[in-house]
Amino acid sequence: MEEAHERATNAAGWIEANWSDWLATGLRILLITVIAVVLRYVIRRAITKLIERTNRRSEASDRNALSGLLVNRERRMQRSAAIGSVLRNVASFVIMGTAVLMVLSVLGINLAPLLASAGVAGVALGFGARNLVTDLLAGMFMLLEDQYGVGDRVDVGEASGTVLEIGLRVTQLRGDDGEIWYIRNGEIKRVGNLSQGWATAALDVQVRSDADMNEVRSAIATAGEQLAKGTPWDEVLWEPVEVLGLDSVTLDSMVIRVSAKTMPGKALGVERELRWRIKQELDGRGIEIVDDESLALEARSRVDLHKDEGAKESRVPPQR
């Protein structure tokens, strides 16, 4: 009993001598945890508010600008969500990681071996997963720079198509034949975005060299004006159809170059419709559209006709 009493007395004395240190350590850990949690919440909330404010500002500025037709809501929302997620995760990792290290330091744990091991592990991971790191960094910069978005028509070299989804590691494209391409972001060396800015619908009108040039220009201008007034081409055309002038002139034909600035991705449809209307207008004015093949066939037919006439004349017996 005396030995038990002595042990209890020693334990009580040890607790009484150290309880203040334990309380101080606990309060420090609690304070570090509370500050880390509050700071993490505030920063994540600030990032979310900043992303929302940027989206509202972009929508407000795009209402009266042509760029509003280029950036749809889905694309903006996905890009903002991806950027916000990356920023929030980075902030959480930095804050909570710093808090854990501070707690371990308060507990008296030597952080030097831990930091050295983490550094070695980071180097090994960097060498082993360098392709993954390259893909992630490339994906982050693509999102931050807004190189392309969902719904854009892009050409990335190895494949081309419509963007279905953009991830930090992989971009998905829908090809022309319906196939889905999964492309690592780190392997994309160059990107041709066909859905940003504007597109050009250009076509050549080839007529005979003896056609009235003023009449041809008038017919093309009339077709362009009718196209600009029709639906839905009045929204697709961003500038009036322009007759640039003669592109080439030969003995048999001349080529007039026609151009129009259109909404991105709509140039091919505008070219087809404009070609249709120009053909109708020229036919109504009696002006024929020709091409190199038809001119070559006509020239060959004339040569054959001359040969046949020469052969007939050679077979006719001389008159006595």
Side-chain angles (χ1 to χ4, degrees), residues 53-262:
R53 184 180 303 174
T54 303
N55 288 338
R56 289 195 299 267
R57 188 179 302 171
S58 299
E59 291 177 358
S61 62
D62 289 343
R63 288 193 184 102
N64 298 325
L66 291 178
S67 58
L69 301 174
L70 308 179
V71 184
N72 54 35
R73 183 174 181 82
E74 181 183 2
R75 169 179 174 175
R76 182 184 290 111
M77 292 298 295
Q78 184 181 24
R79 176 172 174 262
S80 301
I83 295 175
S85 176
V86 171
L87 294 178
R88 285 190 292 268
N89 291 334
V90 171
S92 299
F93 177 78
V94 172
I95 294 173
M96 300 310 295
T98 304
V100 169
L101 293 178
M102 293 178 66
V103 169
L104 293 178
S105 177
V106 170
L107 293 176
I109 299 176
N110 188 9
L111 299 180
L114 180 61
L115 294 178
S117 301
V120 174
V123 172
L125 181 63
F127 279 107
R130 57 184 181 273
N131 290 333
L132 178 61
V133 175
T134 302
D135 296 339
L136 294 178
L137 291 177
M140 291 179 58
F141 280 108
M142 286 180 182
L143 289 172
L144 292 174
E145 297 173 358
D146 193 20
Q147 297 180 8
Y148 52 83
V150 175
D152 285 354
R153 173 79 180 178
V154 298
D155 181 358
V156 295
E158 297 295 334
S160 61
T162 304
V163 179
L164 292 180
E165 183 178 349
I166 303 174
L168 290 179
R169 192 181 69 86
V170 174
T171 296
Q172 298 181 24
L173 300 182
R174 172 75 70 180
D176 296 332
D177 297 329
E179 70 277 10
I180 298 180
W181 297 94
Y182 295 87
I183 305 171
R184 288 171 42 199
N185 294 328
E187 294 182 347
I188 299 177
K189 304 302 180 183
R190 52 93 173 168
V191 179
N193 195 326
L194 307 179
S195 300
Q196 286 184 350
W198 45 269
T200 301
L203 63 147
D204 295 331
V205 180
Q206 188 172 3
V207 296
R208 297 188 181 276
S209 57
D210 56 355
D212 188 349
M213 295 179 58
N214 293 328
E215 191 71 15
V216 174
R217 179 188 290 271
S218 176
I220 296 174
T222 302
E225 292 175 359
Q226 293 176 357
L227 179 66
K229 295 178 181 178
T231 304
W233 310 109
D234 54 347
E235 298 180 358
V236 174
L237 280 174
W238 285 2
E239 289 185 1
V241 177
E242 183 180 4
V243 181
L244 300 180
L246 285 176
D247 189 65
S248 64
V249 180
T250 63
L251 293 176
D252 298 326
S253 66
M254 56 183 176
V255 178
I256 296 95
R257 174 61 60 90
V258 183
S259 176
K261 185 177 291 187
T262 71

Side-chain angles (χ1 to χ4, degrees), residues 278-308:
I278 290 176
K279 178 67 167 59
Q280 288 182 330
E281 191 67 27
L282 291 177
D283 289 344
R285 304 190 183 199
I287 302 174
E288 182 183 2
I289 294 180
V290 296
D291 56 10
D292 294 334
E293 295 182 0
S294 62
L295 293 175
L297 290 175
E298 290 181 2
R300 190 177 304 169
S301 299
R302 288 196 298 267
V303 172
D304 294 340
L305 180 61
H306 290 314
K307 289 182 179 179
D308 293 340

